[in-house]
Amino acid sequence: METSVGVGLGEIAVSQNCEEILVAFGLGSCVGIGAYDPVKGIAGLLHAVLPEPLNGSDLSSTKYVGNGINKLFEEMISKGAVKERLIIRIAGGANMLTSPGLSKTFDIGTRNIAMTLKVLETQRMKIVSQNVGGSTGRTFRIYVADGKMTIRMIGEKETVF
Amino acid sequence: MAKILVVDDAEFLRVRISKMLVGDGYEVIEAENGLLALNAYKAQKPDVVLMDITMPEMDGLTALREILAVDSGAKVIMLTALGQESVVLEAIKSGAKDFIVKPFERDRVVGALQKLIG
Amino acid sequence: MTELRSIFTDEFVNLLTKISKEGIENASKGFAGMLGKELTVKSSTAKLVKLLDIPKMLGGPEDETVAIYLKTEGGIAGQMMLVMPCEKAFGLVDMIMGEPIGTTTVLGKMEKSALQELGNITGTYFLNYVSDNTGRSVRPTPPAVMVDMCAAILDIVIATAGIENEEVLMLDAEFVQGDLCTEIQFWVIPDPQTILAYGAK
């Protein structure tokens, strides 16, 4: 009997429980970073909100991509995961506002993706697959049982990526 | 038959206003932003323009000035939700003949048109 | 963000409630005027709720939601968003367009346009009031109508203003047309800067 574990804004969830599914619902401009150690069967999901701190507040918060990724890896490693084995997939980072008349395009989504790629590259971590960009929200799921990761958009079926 | 140019980015409203005016015997042409309004004005020389303000590409106040630059006798009525004092003043100073705030009463619009067309 | 808290006093919330209610009533009267049909609005409750609680109240973070969003420019820069579940949006469109309830089942171009105009009139009414009371001119962008998962839509406000812990105003409005009535919740999410500008007058 599977149980969903919701991962809200700025949150991280790490699990070895085969019956759990880690879920980040409705990622708009937010980016979901999923990691899985296939040997130990440890899954982790980060729901990052912003590329970097706006005005010096909450500097250590995991809602920022960099902090979040570091904390995600830290927690998974503390449970026995090996960083080099981690299978990483990312999803989200949509630009939700694209209509004419909005003088500045809302580009947080793009900036979140860029920061994610930069941070992971700095740590020499390879991204196996990604479902990012566009202008639609996504729900990101990680099945702890086998590390399967899926996304679902409104009106569409859940698909593995 | 007088020709009215209806300028508004909301298709819903253009259709509503058109129906209203055609029912009263006017000929109606439409434009969805200030830039297209300017082009339509130059091409079709309407008798009166009903101009929204908040639009993409070119807003109504800029379009008002552009149209008057092309035809100093142009009759433009602003039809907008933006009823702030500073905006009304700017429109009138720029040469708008009337200023109607949305939501509007049908009679107010028809009355304003009749006044200008005579 | 402590400055924000102290400005969201009871008095200010009451004021925001009053002008938001008037904004909605005003917009609906306008549609009635244009349609020639009686459409009245009764705005019942108004309260402050946490932004992060909105998905739960609307149903769920994945629920299909309609948002009418606009930015403001000029003397006061900020953003406003009206948020409602998809079904409610259908009912609202039916009323605005003078159709029997249940007619609209998909938000096509015309339907989104009707919602866009509702957002324009309601939002601008609010801004006009703020402008007249602060002496600063403030102009909205044309509203954008979006349909997506609730959580994804709220990202727009949360990410831009970084205010996920803040509270917003929720209004319950009942639209009545003849025998029919539909209840819609409107969320007024003024940007902190808008509130601060008002408080600074």
Side-chain angles (χ1 to χ4, degrees):
Chain A
M1 190 42 200
E2 288 165 332
T3 27
S4 287
V5 175
V7 184
L9 290 144
E11 289 178 0
I12 291 169
V14 174
S15 170
Q16 268 179 292
N17 184 336
C18 288
E19 281 164 29
E20 285 183 347
I21 305 170
L22 307 180
V23 198
F25 291 105
L27 294 164
S29 52
C30 291
V31 174
I33 292 133
Y36 183 69
D37 179 329
V39 172
K40 284 278 187 175
I42 302 172
L45 178 58
L46 160 69
H47 185 152
V49 184
L50 294 165
E52 59 218 330
L54 270 175
N55 46 16
S57 62
D58 273 344
L59 287 173
S60 59
S61 169
T62 49
K63 68 184 177 191
Y64 303 115
V65 171
N67 294 342
I69 290 175
N70 291 337
K71 195 86 210 298
L72 173 70
F73 291 160
E74 216 178 275
E75 275 191 39
M76 291 182 77
I77 290 165
S78 75
K79 286 199 150 72
V82 173
K83 202 171 169 188
E84 290 70 33
R85 287 202 297 250
L86 291 178
I87 296 169
I88 296 172
R89 302 181 200 273
I90 66 173
N95 281 336
M96 298 301 297
L97 288 173
T98 50
S99 67
L102 286 159
S103 51
K104 264 182 281 182
T105 27
F106 179 71
D107 64 351
I108 301 270
T110 308
R111 287 168 51 211
N112 275 338
I113 300 168
M115 184 59 87
T116 301
L117 297 176
K118 183 174 150 195
V119 170
L120 291 172
E121 196 188 302
T122 310
Q123 299 197 20
R124 299 183 199 284
M125 298 300 289
K126 185 169 164 264
I127 299 171
V128 171
S129 66
Q130 51 187 299
N131 190 310
V132 295
S135 55
T136 311
R138 301 164 170 87
T139 289
F140 185 174
R141 284 181 172 82
I142 304 180
Y143 292 77
V144 186
D146 58 2
K148 179 175 76 181
M149 300 193 201
T150 67
I151 60 112
R152 196 183 81 84
M153 293 189 192
I154 202 114
E156 290 179 20
K157 288 197 175 133
E158 189 181 347
T159 48
V160 180
F161 78 106
Chain B
M1 189 164 55
K3 195 189 298 185
I4 315 291
L5 170 59
V6 174
V7 189
D8 199 304
D9 60 328
E11 185 181 350
F12 163 76
L13 211 56
R14 289 198 307 273
V15 167
R16 290 281 149 187
I17 296 172
S18 289
K19 275 199 186 139
M20 187 175 91
L21 297 179
V22 164
D24 274 5
Y26 293 101
E27 188 192 330
V28 178
I29 49 176
E30 298 175 22
E32 64 183 42
N33 63 56
L35 189 58
L36 293 172
L38 178 62
N39 296 340
Y41 192 93
K42 285 189 223 169
Q44 308 209 43
K45 298 274 190 287
D47 298 289
V48 181
V49 182
L50 281 173
M51 184 82 82
D52 184 21
I53 292 182
T54 305
M55 295 183 289
E57 296 299 327
M58 185 192 282
D59 70 74
L61 288 170
T62 308
L64 163 69
R65 288 187 281 263
E66 294 285 327
I67 286 173
L68 284 167
V70 160
D71 174 6
S72 57
K75 294 175 181 163
V76 181
I77 298 173
M78 310 310 289
L79 181 56
T80 172
L82 206 52
Q84 295 161 27
E85 218 179 288
S86 57
V87 178
V88 178
L89 279 171
E90 190 184 331
I92 301 295
K93 269 198 202 147
S94 297
K97 297 280 186 238
D98 204 341
F99 196 108
I100 302 174
V101 181
K102 289 179 191 171
F104 58 85
E105 288 294 322
R106 197 206 124 88
D107 291 343
R108 173 76 174 96
V109 175
V110 173
L113 285 173
Q114 282 169 350
K115 220 167 68 175
L116 283 182
I117 292 169
Chain C
M1 281 291 171
T2 38
E3 313 160 56
L4 192 64
R5 287 248 170 266
S6 64
I7 281 166
F8 244 142
T9 56
D10 283 343
E11 188 201 325
F12 189 62
V13 169
N14 290 338
L15 183 65
L16 262 186
T17 304
K18 175 173 170 285
I19 46 182
S20 301
K21 280 183 179 184
E22 284 173 12
I24 296 166
E25 283 166 19
N26 213 39
S28 315
K29 269 192 214 134
F31 288 110
M34 294 190 280
L35 292 170
K37 277 188 198 175
E38 187 69 35
L39 175 68
T40 54
V41 185
K42 289 185 292 178
S43 188
S44 32
T45 63
K47 58 184 180 192
L48 282 179
V49 291
K50 283 194 152 52
L51 194 62
L52 282 182
D53 287 344
I54 292 177
K56 270 177 267 167
M57 294 176 119
L58 287 175
E62 269 191 305
D63 282 11
E64 198 160 11
T65 302
V66 175
I68 310 169
Y69 172 91
L70 56 97
K71 269 190 139 134
T72 66
E73 294 159 341
I76 301 166
Q79 51 187 356
M80 287 181 64
M81 192 153 81
L82 302 173
V83 184
M84 66 196 89
C86 222
E87 282 95 64
K88 298 282 188 178
F90 294 155
L92 197 58
V93 170
D94 287 337
M95 284 193 162
I96 293 169
M97 295 181 83
E99 305 278 359
I101 297 284
T103 305
T104 305
T105 52
V106 158
L107 291 180
K109 256 185 84 186
M110 188 62 92
E111 292 77 13
K112 282 189 182 173
S113 174
L115 289 172
Q116 178 193 343
E117 192 58 15
L118 174 71
N120 180 41
I121 295 177
T122 313
T124 308
Y125 185 87
F126 178 87
L127 294 174
N128 289 347
Y129 191 94
V130 174
S131 168
D132 288 342
N133 278 272
T134 58
R136 301 179 206 209
S137 121
V138 50
R139 301 185 189 182
T141 57
V145 177
M146 281 167 294
V147 185
D148 211 317
M149 294 178 179
C150 191
I153 282 173
L154 290 180
D155 271 5
I156 295 166
V157 178
I158 290 167
T160 315
I163 59 164
E164 74 268 19
N165 293 318
E166 295 307 330
E167 293 173 309
V168 299
L169 199 64
M170 183 190 85
L171 300 164
D172 240 288
E174 205 185 337
F175 288 75
V176 180
Q177 189 171 62
D179 293 333
L180 308 161
C181 71
T182 186
E183 212 184 292
I184 308 275
Q185 288 171 337
F186 285 85
W187 303 85
V188 180
I189 312 177
D191 181 84
Q193 286 161 290
T194 306
I195 300 171
L196 284 168
Y198 189 86
K201 77 159 173 108

